[in-house]
Amino acid sequence: MEARKKLGFGLMRLPLKNPEDDSSIDLEQMKQMVDTFLERGFTYFDTAWMYCGGRSEEFVGKALVARHPRDSFTLTTKLPAYLLKKEEDREQVFREQLRRTGAGYFDYYWLHDVNSHSIRTFDRLDGWDFIRQKKAQGLVRHIGFSFHDGPELLDRVLTEHPDMEYVQLQLNYLDWDSLGVQSRACYEVATRHGKPVIVMEPVKGGTLARVPEELGRLFKAREPELSVPSWAIRFAATLENVMVVLSGMSNMEQVLDNTSYMQDFRPLDAEEIEMMRRAADILNRNIVIPCTGCSYCTVNCPKRIPIPKYFSLYNADLQECKEKGWTPQGSYYSNLTLRFGKASDCIRCGQCESMCPQHLPIRAYLKDVAEHFE
């Protein structure tokens, strides 16, 4: 496995000028964060076509590629199935990604979000052979895929495409033994096939950074100086077959925190790993909708419903003490409905569920949100 520091910069959740607009990236703050990340010896950056309202690749070009030598960093982006209708689309998307980033080539290039639905498109239009061609042409150094599905499909994909070099998996201590995500089982399949793993969602979209007080006390008792999210990232990085753990960083504070404990990374010991199992048990009692906030579901929503924001408010409201009375989440919800569709505006078209990497029953959850807040 390639030797490197195990922390990667996930470019899905960047600093924003307007928190209500995922595409309003704060370029100057992003430049400072990129520079600090590199200065501290980290080199891996991960983007994708749809991140940050479709502008992440463009801003990677401005903040990273245009300002640093090309051999001083590694860059990953991905080919999305939802843009592919015919074979010619593969090349058009790839060329546009090169134009957006200005990178000249990609160090890693994945088929994006391989699952039971998207694999039909990748198989029909042979996305597998397309990325092989790009590697042969020298426009891509390494090929693989990001994956959101079960271990059975992962085993089939790696058996049918043994030349895929890497697998990007959702992996965190909450999903490790989850019956839905099955992080452990998928990790074990990738390891059995000899494929190093790049970890996404180690903090589960911020869920593992904002934990119940009971869990916060557990972590602080063990290591008072370490932040809560550090435990989630270190859990993933402790796994031997993990090459890089991606962390979506949206401000300088997160960059400084993540790089501080990952510069001289210390794996968790057996007692700490057992503590993470107990942490998962505590969290599972509190989280109702396991949304990671990736926003794939909002890409084509005809009613412009900010689904992840509503789910986050719903989860937070249900964790409030019943004795508290008034809670702020209802006000935040009302404010959002002035600019976006309400949860009750859902027309049940289902496009959100076809895009969801977590395979959540979004339409049913939206009904719950509407009943709760409206």
Side-chain angles (χ1 to χ4, degrees), residues 313-331:
L313 290 174
Y314 183 71
N315 280 333
D317 211 48
L318 292 182
Q319 290 185 38
E320 294 274 15
C321 296
K322 290 182 173 61
E323 296 78 15
K324 185 175 180 180
W326 179 86
T327 63
Q329 282 78 226
S331 295

Side-chain angles (χ1 to χ4, degrees), residues 86-209:
K86 54 187 184 302
E87 285 193 1
E88 292 79 4
D89 293 339
R90 305 173 307 177
E91 185 67 29
Q92 290 180 6
V93 170
F94 185 80
R95 290 294 167 184
E96 176 62 11
Q97 290 175 308
L98 285 177
R99 186 198 68 77
R100 286 178 172 186
T101 60
Y105 65 91
F106 297 116
D107 300 278
Y108 301 85
Y109 196 69
W110 310 144
L111 297 185
H112 195 177
D113 186 15
V114 171
N115 59 57
S116 299
H117 299 285
S118 66
I119 197 169
R120 299 172 188 170
T121 299
F122 290 133
D123 286 349
R124 177 171 61 84
L125 300 178
D126 207 349
W128 311 98
D129 191 55
F130 177 77
I131 60 175
R132 291 184 188 107
Q133 292 174 28
K134 292 305 165 194
K135 182 180 178 183
Q137 294 167 5
L139 295 173
V140 168
R141 300 288 174 83
H142 302 285
I143 57 175
F145 56 96
S146 64
F147 185 81
H148 285 284
D149 213 298
E152 297 82 9
L153 180 62
L154 181 59
D155 184 59
R156 176 165 73 83
V157 170
L158 290 174
T159 299
E160 293 176 356
H161 304 285
D163 57 340
M164 295 297 111
E165 299 172 80
Y166 300 91
V167 180
Q168 186 163 307
L169 296 175
Q170 176 171 321
L171 194 157
N172 54 70
Y173 68 84
L174 186 60
D175 292 327
W176 186 241
D177 289 312
S178 162
L179 294 177
V181 180
Q182 300 184 83
S183 288
R184 181 207 293 264
C186 288
Y187 171 80
E188 290 172 350
V189 168
T191 301
R192 189 167 67 249
H193 281 268
K195 308 301 178 184
V197 169
I198 293 87
V199 171
M200 55 186 162
E201 300 291 357
V203 191
K204 204 169 174 65
T207 296
L208 304 184

Side-chain angles (χ1 to χ4, degrees), residues 3 6 44 47 63 122 131-132 148 204 250 303-304 328 342 348 351-352 361-363 366:
K6 275 194 167 186
Y44 193 103
T47 185
F122 290 133
I131 60 175
R132 291 184 188 107
H148 285 284
K204 204 169 174 65
S250 53
K303 293 297 184 178
R304 295 187 65 244
K342 297 183 294 184
R348 303 186 63 79
Q351 74 81 26
C352 54
I362 292 173
R363 290 172 288 185
L366 283 174

